[in-house]
């Protein structure tokens, strides 16, 4: 193993890791926002909103994220959507993550015992008051860990944007392989950096999970 | 008949799930301060009838009136929501499985609705919680979470929570059925205390002794109809209907 080479290219990989982190953070924010909106649609009392929510989830979970990225980035200009690679990466992955997060958030909400809603409604609380005061605080505790799993998957999925030439970790590794012919070292370096990012994110989720639990 | 005098009135209540008819044309009135017990085997429709009173299980036919106002009015969604939320504030309900809010202390369980719906200040609500929890003998547990309370204590907090809204009517849906036998009495005592204060109550129960000691009137339901109703001494000692006699024989035999 060529440690000397690894040491030499290491700073460039660190730079690329920042791009991966930025991609992940933006994708997670977009995903969570869409997950919340998707849940709102899926739990709405309006059938049209429910259908839109269901279609969103089934389309974006039912096709490969890579194809979604390709359609957005390569197919987009054909229908008037002009995005640079980074924008396309964030938006494409964010929409994809949002579909998974919709199911996570919705799952946490509907798993709260029906008796909780009944008790709140019986006291005279409205649907929204019930959701806000009784259901959400309880389901928040149930959704932190599974959302953590979604975020873990999303960080790894950022590797896909190498295929639309965003200069992040995986793309950087490939580029250096092209000039050094050392795939083992280059991919290993990228893999270690991914692991560190995912480890830190996982610790964050654990911390948050502990924070939202009581007693 | 003058409908103003009737405090709770159910007119021709009918409820079906598809082909299954669970309530078949039930009419019933309850006077102010009266305590009515509903007995019957599971599946007889007694819980469904109780839950129809605050529209938790909406009827498919018939009317429910409370204190001169129709509960299950036919209104557009938003208006109906507003109306039913106002009606429900006047009707307390206690469930078999307590349904306390696990993320709130006993105090918060009791104060939440009065603060949100009646605009009580925090200080006023706290005072109210102290009174209500004292009334059910749980003042010293005021800052405990439900997970730190026994079943009987949870149910007493649930009663305090309902009473904090100062309801006109209390509905009990098998309030002691989920409790260990030794915890039943403490809940029964709280309910008896309420009875002494002339709270209007409708109680769905499996406990014949309790029903006969607190209720002014007992209804026996079977297969979606009220088979027989009358004062507890008649229903329990001298029922006229064969079905009532059979139910009581089985139930009392089963209890032993």
């Amino acid at each position: 193993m060529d440690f000397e080479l690894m040491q030499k290219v290491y700073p460039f990989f660190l730079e690329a890791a920042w791009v991966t982190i930025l991609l992940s953070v933006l994708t997670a924010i977009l995903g969570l926002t869409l997950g919340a909106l998707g849940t709102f649609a899926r739990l709405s009392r309006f059938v049209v909103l429910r259908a839109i929510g269901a279609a969103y989830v089934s389309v974006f979970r039912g096709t490969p994220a890579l194809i979604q990225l390709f359609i957005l980035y390569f197919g987009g200009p054909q229908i008037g959507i002009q995005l640079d690679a980074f924008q396309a990466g964030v938006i494409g992955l964010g929409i994809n993550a949002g579909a998974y997060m919709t199911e996570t958030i919705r799952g946490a909400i509907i798993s709260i015992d029906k008796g909780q809603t009944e008790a709140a409604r019986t006291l005279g609380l409205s649907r929204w008051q019930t959701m806000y005061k009784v259901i959400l605080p309880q389901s928040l505790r149930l959704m932190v860990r599974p959302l953590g799993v979604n975020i873990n998957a999303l960080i790894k999925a950022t590797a896909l944007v190498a295929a639309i030439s965003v200069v992040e970790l995986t793309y950087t590794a490939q580029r250096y392989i092209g000039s050094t012919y050392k795939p083992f070292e280059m991919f290993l370096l990228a893999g270690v950096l991914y692991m560190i990012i995912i480890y830190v994110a996982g610790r964050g989720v654990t911390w948050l999970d502990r924070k939202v639990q009581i007693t | 008949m003058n409908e103003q005098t009737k405090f709770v009135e159910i007119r021709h209540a009918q409820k079906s799930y598809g082909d299954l008819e669970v309530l078949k044309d039930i009419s019933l009135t309850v006077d102010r301060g009266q305590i009515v017990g509903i007995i019957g085997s599971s599946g007889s429709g007694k819980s469904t009838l109780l839950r129809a009173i605050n529209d938790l299980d909406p009827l498919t036919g018939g009317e429910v009136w409370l204190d001169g106002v129709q509960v299950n009015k036919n209104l557009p969604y938003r208006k109906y929501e507003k109306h039913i939320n106002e009606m429900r504030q006047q009707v307390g309900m206690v469930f078999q499985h307590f349904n306390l809010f696990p993320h709130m202390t006993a105090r918060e369980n009791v104060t939440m609705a009065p603060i949100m719906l009646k605009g009580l200040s925090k200080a006023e609500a706290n005072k109210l919680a102290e009174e209500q929890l004292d009334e059910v003998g749980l003042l010293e547990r005021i800052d405990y979470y439900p997970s730190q309370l026994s079943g009987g204590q949870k149910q007493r907090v649930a009663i305090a929570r309902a009473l904090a809204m100062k309801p006109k009517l209390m509905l009990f849906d098998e309030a002691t059925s989920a409790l260990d036998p030794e915890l039943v009495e403490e809940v029964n005592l709280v309910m008896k205390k309420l009875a002494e204060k002339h709270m209007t109550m409708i109680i769905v129960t499996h406990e014949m002794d309790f029903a006969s000691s607190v209720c002014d009137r007992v209804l026996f339901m079977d297969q979606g109809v009220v088979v027989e109703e009358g004062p507890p001494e008649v229903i329990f000692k001298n029922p006229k209907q064969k079905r009532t006699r059979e139910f009581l024989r089985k139930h009392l035999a089963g209890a032993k």
Side-chain angles (χ1 to χ4, degrees):
Chain A
M1 203 151 69
D2 194 342
F3 284 108
E4 209 180 314
L5 175 67
M6 283 166 83
Q7 240 170 5
K8 222 158 64 190
V9 298
Y10 172 66
F12 301 104
F13 275 71
L14 260 193
E15 229 169 273
W18 281 115
V19 177
T20 290
I21 291 168
L22 187 63
L23 257 171
S24 302
V25 169
L26 292 175
T27 302
I29 291 169
L30 182 59
L32 283 166
T33 309
L34 290 173
L37 285 172
T39 301
F40 174 80
R42 290 215 63 180
L43 297 178
S44 163
R45 67 189 173 89
F46 297 108
V47 64
V48 177
L49 275 181
R50 284 204 302 276
I52 291 172
Y56 168 55
V57 169
S58 71
V59 166
F60 286 92
R61 290 202 316 177
T63 52
L66 192 60
I67 295 292
Q68 294 163 21
L69 278 175
F70 282 170
I71 290 177
L72 186 65
Y73 184 64
F74 296 119
Q78 229 177 302
I79 54 166
I81 301 171
Q82 297 283 356
L83 297 168
D84 67 37
F86 186 83
Q87 290 168 337
V90 168
I91 292 170
L93 291 177
I95 292 174
N96 180 268
Y100 286 92
M101 288 174 167
T102 295
E103 284 308 271
T104 303
I105 297 171
R106 173 175 160 271
I109 286 173
I110 63 175
S111 69
I112 302 297
D113 181 48
K114 209 168 99 264
Q116 293 290 309
T117 303
E118 290 184 352
R121 296 305 308 269
T122 297
L123 288 166
L125 267 67
S126 70
R127 258 171 69 106
W128 279 112
Q129 288 170 325
T130 301
M131 184 53 82
Y132 171 71
K133 284 296 263 194
V134 175
I135 305 301
L136 277 181
Q138 293 182 59
S139 48
L140 200 63
R141 281 170 208 162
L142 299 177
M143 68 177 81
V144 171
R145 278 191 176 279
L147 281 175
V149 173
N150 291 150
I151 285 171
N152 175 302
L154 154 177
I155 294 169
K156 287 178 286 191
T158 60
L160 293 174
V161 301
I164 56 171
S165 62
V166 178
V167 188
E168 43 67 79
L169 258 180
T170 304
Y171 187 84
T172 302
Q174 284 168 342
R175 202 159 68 174
Y176 277 91
I177 291 161
S179 54
T180 62
Y181 304 104
K182 300 271 186 181
F184 185 78
E185 283 84 348
M186 296 302 110
F187 280 137
L188 195 69
L189 203 50
V192 167
L193 287 170
Y194 274 118
M195 227 178 110
I196 292 169
I197 295 169
I198 283 166
Y199 177 78
V200 171
R203 296 297 304 203
V205 169
T206 306
W207 174 82
L208 195 64
D209 184 56
R210 211 169 289 149
K211 242 194 116 154
V212 296
Q213 308 295 332
I214 43 114
T215 53
Chain B
M1 190 168 57
N2 179 5
E3 58 186 44
Q4 297 310 107
T5 62
K6 298 302 175 198
F7 187 59
V8 180
E9 187 172 10
I10 297 171
R11 296 179 191 161
H12 305 294
Q14 194 275 340
K15 167 109 186 160
S16 348
Y17 296 102
D19 286 340
L20 182 70
E21 202 175 15
V22 288
L23 297 177
K24 300 169 187 162
D25 192 27
I26 293 180
S27 292
L28 164 72
T29 61
V30 180
D31 294 331
R32 201 185 289 271
Q34 223 178 27
I35 297 162
V36 174
I38 306 178
I39 59 170
S41 44
S42 45
S44 60
K46 56 191 194 306
S47 280
T48 311
L49 180 66
L50 190 79
R51 290 160 58 90
I53 294 172
N54 63 3
D55 208 46
L56 218 46
D57 264 345
L59 293 174
T60 37
E63 295 174 359
V64 178
W65 290 72
L66 172 66
D67 207 7
V69 182
Q70 189 179 351
V71 177
N72 59 343
K73 266 187 202 166
N74 197 358
L75 290 170
Y77 180 83
R78 276 176 197 286
K79 279 194 177 148
Y80 181 73
E81 280 289 299
K82 192 168 175 294
H83 160 76
I84 198 67
N85 292 338
E86 276 163 16
M87 294 306 293
R88 283 175 178 155
Q89 290 184 33
Q90 305 168 37
V91 181
M93 186 157 191
V94 175
F95 301 88
Q96 183 178 356
H97 296 290
F98 331 127
N99 298 346
L100 286 182
F101 307 128
H103 57 302
M104 300 181 191
T105 60
R107 181 200 301 272
E108 291 161 346
N109 265 279
V110 175
T111 57
M112 180 191 71
I115 290 173
M116 288 181 80
L117 304 172
K118 294 194 158 174
L120 261 63
S121 70
K122 213 155 181 204
E124 289 168 329
N126 273 328
K127 193 163 159 284
L128 177 69
E130 282 158 21
E131 283 165 17
Q132 293 300 345
L133 287 167
D134 193 26
E135 196 72 16
V136 299
L138 285 173
L139 188 54
E140 77 280 10
R141 298 282 149 119
I142 191 162
D143 289 317
Y144 283 49
Y145 282 95
S147 60
Q148 300 166 311
L149 300 173
S150 73
Q153 291 171 336
K154 281 182 200 165
Q155 195 59 297
R156 283 145 68 197
V157 173
I159 294 172
R161 172 176 72 179
L163 292 175
M165 288 300 286
K166 309 284 178 201
K168 293 175 174 174
L169 167 70
M170 284 289 287
L171 308 174
F172 291 87
D173 191 2
E174 297 190 26
T176 56
S177 293
L179 295 176
D180 291 338
E182 73 269 21
L183 301 177
V184 168
E185 201 45 37
E186 62 187 65
V187 174
N188 281 347
L189 281 175
V190 169
M191 289 168 69
K192 277 182 184 157
K193 230 163 115 182
L194 263 181
E196 280 158 18
K197 290 183 176 167
H198 305 292
M199 171 63 81
T200 313
M201 301 199 265
I202 304 177
I203 302 169
V204 166
T205 184
H206 280 301
E207 276 186 89
M208 304 305 146
D209 287 343
F210 181 71
S212 76
S213 68
V214 302
C215 295
D216 301 312
R217 234 165 85 214
V218 174
L219 275 69
F220 168 64
M221 280 182 70
D222 190 35
Q223 293 176 9
V225 295
V226 176
V227 176
E228 188 167 356
E229 67 165 291
E233 3 2 313
V234 176
I235 297 289
F236 291 113
K237 302 264 162 55
N238 205 358
K240 292 182 183 58
Q241 300 294 327
K242 189 161 157 268
R243 275 198 276 176
T244 317
R245 285 197 295 272
E246 270 169 14
F247 169 78
L248 288 171
R249 194 171 60 233
K250 262 188 234 158
H251 199 91
L252 297 174
K256 281 166 203 159

